[in-house]
């Protein structure tokens, strides 16, 4: 019996869907409009759709009741850009004029999911599993949506996250643990022009702490950064408080612990030097995962990649996706590329050929490419 895999992806329809999604403003925290749009699209394509209290969508496309897989994307875009105007180039690459991001992260993933659902509707295949499509909010702000998603409501045994860059054919099997840092220094306010000697300059303390920290790429598995620095009230007031916000990531928990210890030590040393105090706040945003090559999601992804004529490229990522959360919550997942390049930057772009390839890989996964 012919399967949907034998029918080609509709290239023009895929691009049109992607452009329609990009036209809907959805910076993190403002996903209402795209959430409503997607709810309508998934319903029209035969899915049972539910939305949780934070705005995550779960669209269930019924299939084989004995096999259920998860396919994950996110609906928010990085930063605050609105009014994105995509340009389809003569070379088949979609980008903007450089004044905004494109939003291929992760609307290319969503467009691929919608195209696969459309193909399944046009060419029914009884062998297709039940598909739970999860489209989260707040992914760009630290996987907020997936962290609040009640996975007990999901039936999937394993899944695939369509939300990475990298070469087509790559499988992100290993991702780091990431922690957010909020470091607050408290000194003493004073009049900077009349009696500065009575003050303890919290900004100065924080600056010395940053200068003493190991930052950037620490080793092949560990990175750290201080991203924001705020403090003070006015030019003529010795600042009593200063706040640093940063992050650290590593694929190795021991290395991450040592990095955090070094940063904490630099902060305490600077505070003690000036008789200030420091609160070193650490929040784990997501945890590392490592999927073996013989695990089901890796095996199925690899078979699908080979089925469309690509080589499998194992990829160790320095970033995180909702897959980190699903893995931590007991649903093993790998992450797959959608074709996005330079995500989060105004140079972001995507080749239509790569979007089609990503869609074909997903189609091969859900139709059960030979394993």
């Amino acid at each position: 019996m012919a399967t949907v895999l034998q029918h080609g992806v509709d290239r023009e329809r895929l691009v049109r869907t992607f452009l329609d999604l990009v036209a809907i403003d959805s910076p993190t925290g403002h996903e209402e409009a795209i959430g409503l749009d997607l709810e309508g699209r998934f319903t029209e394509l035969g899915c049972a759709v539910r939305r949780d209290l934070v705005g995550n969508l779960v669209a269930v496309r019924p299939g084989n009741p004995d096999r259920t897989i998860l396919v994950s994307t996110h609906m928010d875009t990085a930063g605050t850009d609105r009014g994105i105007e995509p340009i389809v180039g003569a070379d088949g690459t979609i980008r903007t004029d450089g004044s905004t991001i494109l939003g291929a992260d992760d609307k290319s993933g969503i467009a691929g999911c919608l195209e696969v659902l459309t193909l399944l509707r046009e060419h029914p295949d009884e062998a297709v599993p039940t598909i739970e499509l999860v489209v989260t909010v707040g992914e760009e702000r630290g996987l907020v949506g997936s962290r609040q998603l009640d996975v007990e409501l999901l039936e999937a045994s394993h899944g695939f996250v369509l939300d990475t860059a990298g070469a087509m054919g790559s499988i992100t099997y290993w991702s780091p643990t990431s922690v957010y840092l909020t470091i607050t220094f408290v000194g003493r306010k004073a009049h900077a022009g009349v009696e500065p000697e009575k003050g303890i300059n919290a900004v100065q303390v924080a600056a010395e702490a940053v200068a003493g920290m190991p930052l950037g790429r620490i080793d092949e598995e560990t990175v750290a950064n201080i991203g924001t620095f705020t403090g003070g009230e006015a030019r003529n007031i010795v600042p009593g408080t200063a706040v640093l916000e940063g992050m650290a990531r590593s694929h190795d928990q021991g290395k991450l612990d040592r990095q955090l210890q070094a940063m904490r030590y630099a902060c305490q040393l600077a505070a003690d030097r000036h008789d200030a105090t420091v609160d070193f706040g650490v929040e784990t945003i997501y945890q590392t995962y490592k999927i073996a090559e013989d695990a089901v999601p890796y095996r199925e992804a690899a078979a699908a990649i080979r089925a469309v004529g690509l080589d499998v490229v194992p990829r160790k990522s320095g970033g995180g996706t909702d897959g980190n959360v699903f893995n931590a919550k007991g649903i093993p997942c790998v992450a797959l590329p959608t074709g996005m390049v330079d995500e989060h930057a105004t140079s972001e772009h995507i080749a239509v050929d790569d979007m089609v390839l990503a869609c074909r890989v997903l189609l091969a996964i859900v139709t059960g490419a030979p394993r």
Side-chain angles (χ1 to χ4, degrees):
M1 181 177 69
T3 71
V4 66
L5 185 58
Q6 295 172 288
H7 298 272
V9 171
D10 188 323
R11 181 186 180 96
E12 291 186 5
R13 181 173 60 200
L14 176 62
V15 171
R16 188 165 59 248
T17 299
F18 174 69
L19 297 179
D20 287 345
L21 295 175
V22 168
I24 304 173
D25 294 333
S26 59
T28 301
H30 302 277
E31 298 99 329
E32 298 86 354
I34 194 168
L36 288 171
D37 180 86
L38 292 175
E39 188 171 359
R41 289 175 185 264
F42 284 128
T43 300
E44 184 180 343
L45 289 168
C47 296
V49 184
R50 63 179 181 269
R51 188 196 303 239
D52 67 14
L53 293 178
V54 299
N56 296 313
L57 290 181
V58 178
V60 181
R61 196 272 184 189
N64 183 344
D66 296 326
R67 181 168 178 257
T68 302
I69 64 171
L70 169 72
V71 178
S72 171
T73 58
H74 66 87
M75 68 181 81
D76 63 316
T77 52
T80 60
D81 288 348
R82 295 175 178 270
I84 296 171
E85 297 185 8
I87 301 168
V88 183
D91 63 349
T93 300
I94 306 174
R95 62 182 78 243
T96 69
D97 63 1
S99 61
T100 69
I101 62 169
L102 175 61
D105 180 9
D106 187 27
K107 291 177 180 178
S108 56
I110 300 173
C113 290
L114 291 169
E115 175 63 16
V116 166
L117 290 176
T118 302
L119 289 168
L120 291 176
R121 182 182 61 178
E122 293 176 345
H123 311 286
D125 187 333
E126 294 179 1
V128 172
T130 296
I131 307 170
E132 292 178 324
L133 297 116
V134 176
V135 189
T136 61
V137 298
E139 194 272 351
E140 300 292 3
R141 195 177 286 169
L143 315 184
V144 171
S146 58
R147 291 165 65 195
Q148 297 185 64
L149 182 71
D150 184 359
V151 299
E152 296 298 323
L153 300 177
L154 302 177
E155 300 291 336
S157 59
H158 61 284
F160 308 89
V161 180
L162 305 185
D163 181 28
T164 64
M168 301 310 297
S170 62
I171 301 175
T172 298
Y173 71 99
W174 195 359
S175 180
T177 295
S178 177
V179 299
Y180 280 1
L181 306 174
T182 304
I183 309 167
T184 304
F185 295 87
V186 178
R188 185 186 306 119
K189 290 169 58 174
H191 194 301
V194 177
E195 45 188 9
E197 59 279 345
K198 290 187 176 181
I200 299 174
N201 191 316
V203 168
Q204 180 182 7
V205 178
E208 290 184 12
V210 173
M213 292 179 188
L215 295 173
R217 182 164 297 283
I218 309 304
D219 56 43
E220 72 282 359
E221 294 182 323
T222 311
V223 296
N225 185 58
I226 296 297
T228 69
F229 189 140
T230 58
E233 301 172 56
R235 297 171 189 267
N236 62 346
I237 300 176
V238 175
T241 60
V243 180
L244 305 175
E245 292 181 326
M247 68 88 186
R249 295 178 184 176
S250 184
H251 295 81
D252 183 291
Q253 186 63 48
K255 290 180 177 180
L256 181 59
D257 290 343
R258 288 190 290 277
Q259 174 62 25
L260 294 175
Q261 184 178 14
M263 296 174 80
R264 192 191 309 270
Y265 177 76
C267 292
Q268 193 62 59
L269 192 66
D272 290 347
R273 188 181 299 123
H274 293 275
D275 199 24
T277 61
V278 59
D279 177 70
F280 193 90
V282 179
E283 179 186 9
T284 299
I285 301 302
Y286 53 81
Q287 296 175 319
T288 185
Y289 72 83
K290 187 177 184 181
I291 301 295
E293 289 189 15
D294 60 353
V296 174
Y298 191 106
R299 212 167 59 235
E300 292 186 0
I305 289 166
R306 295 188 184 103
V308 303
L310 295 172
D311 293 328
V312 175
V313 182
R315 180 172 181 261
K316 177 182 175 182
S317 173
T321 67
D322 287 328
N324 289 74
V325 176
F326 291 127
N327 274 289
K329 291 184 176 182
I331 303 177
C333 296
V334 293
L336 302 173
T338 67
M340 65 178 83
V341 179
D342 289 352
E343 65 276 20
H344 298 193
T346 56
S347 57
E348 182 184 13
H349 58 280
I350 191 167
V352 175
D353 286 347
D354 287 344
M355 288 180 62
V356 171
L357 272 175
C359 194
R360 291 179 62 206
V361 169
L362 177 58
L363 191 60
I365 287 173
V366 302
T367 54
R371 291 166 177 77

